């Protein structure tokens, strides 16, 4: 099969489309014929090896995994003898390892049925970003109907899911983005949009029950000011904090601010769960959620797709069409 191989840490220039062995599967595994994959910020961190902290788990000098990619959608090709949740021919999607390839081996619990309302490209856009938005708002923010939520970074991969998910929960949504994204963010359900190039969202003091911060471009103490006295600040901001330990510095700032505040201030990391993939499907089936895809690249252009996300300011999700 063909796969996007990463022999070393670096820029997207190190990525190569090469022919490699098709993975074999064990008794608890599923072999998926990949139709589409999406690029997330996590792929960029694993590509560059920065912040350097990520190398402790993924290889100090070079990546342990030669094939990049995490989010896929495709057709089940084969299953191990212990697998009961899916069968050959089923259309599935999920968050895996070594996803930028024509075939991927996955655990059965990493996959869920693909909604028939979605294309493979749309389904591939959902796993990481969709689960992050869902868990941050529902489980950490405990967002409820009638509450006000501020989403900082509403036009990006996670933000483009967070806006409609918050609306589906009955919240009043204020979205923060740049000028070129304002219309798109309104179109996916934002009740109010703040253009950060023209207005400082931290001046909207005491208005929000929940703030979801996906950017980290304002200090936690400044963000605290936009919350009600018992509001909740949830940070999924990438890695503001430098090239060495990256998010650790930011997470400490968030927790330290929360220690002296009446508001709940908490950093958040996604936990991939099959049941949440199914929950996202339910929102799709209900007509409450549709992935925003800015651009689709061919498999031969996969390295350019990663470069596009690495440059920042992508609108919604960037996908790679592996198989037409």
């Amino acid at each position: 099969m063909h796969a996007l191989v990463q022999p070393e840490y670096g820029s997207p220039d190190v990525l190569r489309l090469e022919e490699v062995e098709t993975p074999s599967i064990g008794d608890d595994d599923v072999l998926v014929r990949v139709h589409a994959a999406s690029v997330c910020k996590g792929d960029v961190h694993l590509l560059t090896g920065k912040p350097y902290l990520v190398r402790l788990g993924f290889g100090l000098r070079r990546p342990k995994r030669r094939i990049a990619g995490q989010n896929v959608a495709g057709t089940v090709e084969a299953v191990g003898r212990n697998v009961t949740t899916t069968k050959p021919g089923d259309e599935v999607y999920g968050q895996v390892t070594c996803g930028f390839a024509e075939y991927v081996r996955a655990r059965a619990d990493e996959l869920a049925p693909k909604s028939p309302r979605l294309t493979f490209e749309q389904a591939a856009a959902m796993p990481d970003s969709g689960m992050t938005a869902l868990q941050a708002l529902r489980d950490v923010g405990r967002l409820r109907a009638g509450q006000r939520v501020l989403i900082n970074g509403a036009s990006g991969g996670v933000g483009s899911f967070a806006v409609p998910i918050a609306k589906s929960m009955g919240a009043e949504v204020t979205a923060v983005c740049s000028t070129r994204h304002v219309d798109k963010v309104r179109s996916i359900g934002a009740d109010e949009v703040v253009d950060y190039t023209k207005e400082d969202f931290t001046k909207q003091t005491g208005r929000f029950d929940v703030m979801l911060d996906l950017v980290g471009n304002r200090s936690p103490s400044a963000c605290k000011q936009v919350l009600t006295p018992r509001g909740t600040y949830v940070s999924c901001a990438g890695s503001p904090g430098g090239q060495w330990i990256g998010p650790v510095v930011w997470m400490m700032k968030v927790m330290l601010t929360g220690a002296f505040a009446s508001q709940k201030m908490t950093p958040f990391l996604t936990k991939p769960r099959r049941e949440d993939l199914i929950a996202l499907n339910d929102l799709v089936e209900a007509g409450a959620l549709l992935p925003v895809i800015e651009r689709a690249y061919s498999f031969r252009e996969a390295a350019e797709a990663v470069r596009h996300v690495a440059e920042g300011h992508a609108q919604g999700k960037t996908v790679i069409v592996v198989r037409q």
Side-chain angles (χ1 to χ4, degrees):
M1 69 172 187
H2 287 93
L4 190 66
V5 173
Q6 178 188 343
E8 59 185 304
Y9 293 117
S11 74
D13 294 333
V14 306
L15 298 171
R16 296 287 184 271
L17 199 60
E18 296 182 3
E19 192 168 323
V20 300
E21 290 292 325
T22 301
S24 58
I25 61 171
D27 292 342
D28 300 309
D29 297 332
V30 178
L31 182 66
V32 178
R33 183 179 182 181
V34 178
H35 291 261
S38 70
V39 186
C40 65
K41 281 290 188 182
D43 297 322
V44 176
H45 292 310
L46 294 180
L47 169 65
T48 61
K50 296 177 182 179
Y52 293 111
L53 183 67
V54 305
R55 302 191 186 198
L56 293 179
F58 295 93
L60 290 177
R61 300 186 64 183
R62 61 181 59 86
K64 292 179 181 179
R65 299 171 185 157
R66 294 185 65 240
I67 301 173
Q70 304 178 53
N71 300 285
V72 302
T75 305
V76 174
E77 189 81 2
V79 300
R81 64 180 181 179
N82 295 336
V83 175
T84 60
T85 55
T86 190
K87 63 184 184 303
D90 286 350
E91 295 181 347
V92 295
Y93 82 109
Q95 187 174 358
V96 301
T97 57
C98 305
F100 294 159
E102 291 180 309
Y103 292 90
V104 65
R105 176 179 58 222
R107 299 194 317 269
D109 63 1
E110 293 176 323
L111 303 169
K114 179 184 81 67
S115 168
R117 293 173 66 110
L118 297 179
T119 65
F120 283 110
E121 291 81 4
Q122 290 170 323
M126 288 213 302
D128 177 64
S129 295
M131 284 191 288
T132 298
L134 179 65
Q135 293 174 17
L137 292 170
R138 181 196 63 194
D139 302 339
V140 184
R142 299 192 179 278
L143 186 64
R144 301 188 304 275
Q147 290 189 322
R148 290 178 169 180
V149 59
L150 177 73
I151 300 171
N152 183 28
S155 62
V158 177
S160 63
F161 285 96
V163 171
I165 287 173
K167 287 299 296 181
S168 76
M169 298 171 73
E172 180 182 322
V173 180
T174 296
V176 181
C177 63
S178 64
T179 306
R180 79 180 186 96
H181 300 304
V182 167
D183 290 340
K184 173 57 70 175
V185 169
R186 281 204 181 101
S187 75
I188 59 176
D191 297 291
E192 182 182 352
V193 181
V194 176
D195 181 346
Y196 71 76
T197 68
K198 301 177 180 178
E199 184 179 355
D200 184 354
F201 71 84
T202 64
K203 302 303 182 184
Q204 302 190 34
T205 57
R207 290 189 54 193
F208 301 99
D209 302 287
V210 178
M211 175 180 170
L212 175 57
D213 188 5
L214 304 170
V215 184
N217 59 347
R218 296 291 189 276
S219 70
S221 58
C223 293
K224 181 185 70 173
Q225 303 305 314
V226 309
L227 296 172
T228 60
R230 295 295 176 184
T232 300
Y233 170 85
V234 185
S235 174
C236 304
S239 58
Q243 293 189 353
W244 286 93
I245 59 176
V248 174
V249 174
W250 180 257
M251 293 165 70
M252 291 176 63
K253 288 181 179 179
V254 171
M255 291 186 289
L256 184 61
T257 302
F260 300 95
S262 62
Q263 297 93 339
K264 180 180 178 182
M265 309 284 290
T266 180
F268 168 71
L269 296 174
T270 314
K271 297 177 181 178
R273 292 194 291 247
R274 185 175 188 270
E275 55 265 36
D276 285 340
L277 293 174
I278 294 172
L280 292 171
N281 267 348
D282 291 341
L283 290 173
V284 170
E285 291 296 318
L289 181 65
L290 189 66
V292 176
I293 296 176
E294 180 183 37
R295 184 172 173 182
Y297 292 77
S298 71
F299 199 19
R300 293 193 176 279
E301 299 173 310
E304 289 306 309
V306 178
R307 188 188 309 279
H308 177 64
V309 174
E311 290 172 349
H313 304 293
Q315 184 180 94
K317 297 294 292 185
T318 299
V319 301
I320 298 167
V321 180
V322 177
R323 189 182 303 272
Q324 296 287 353

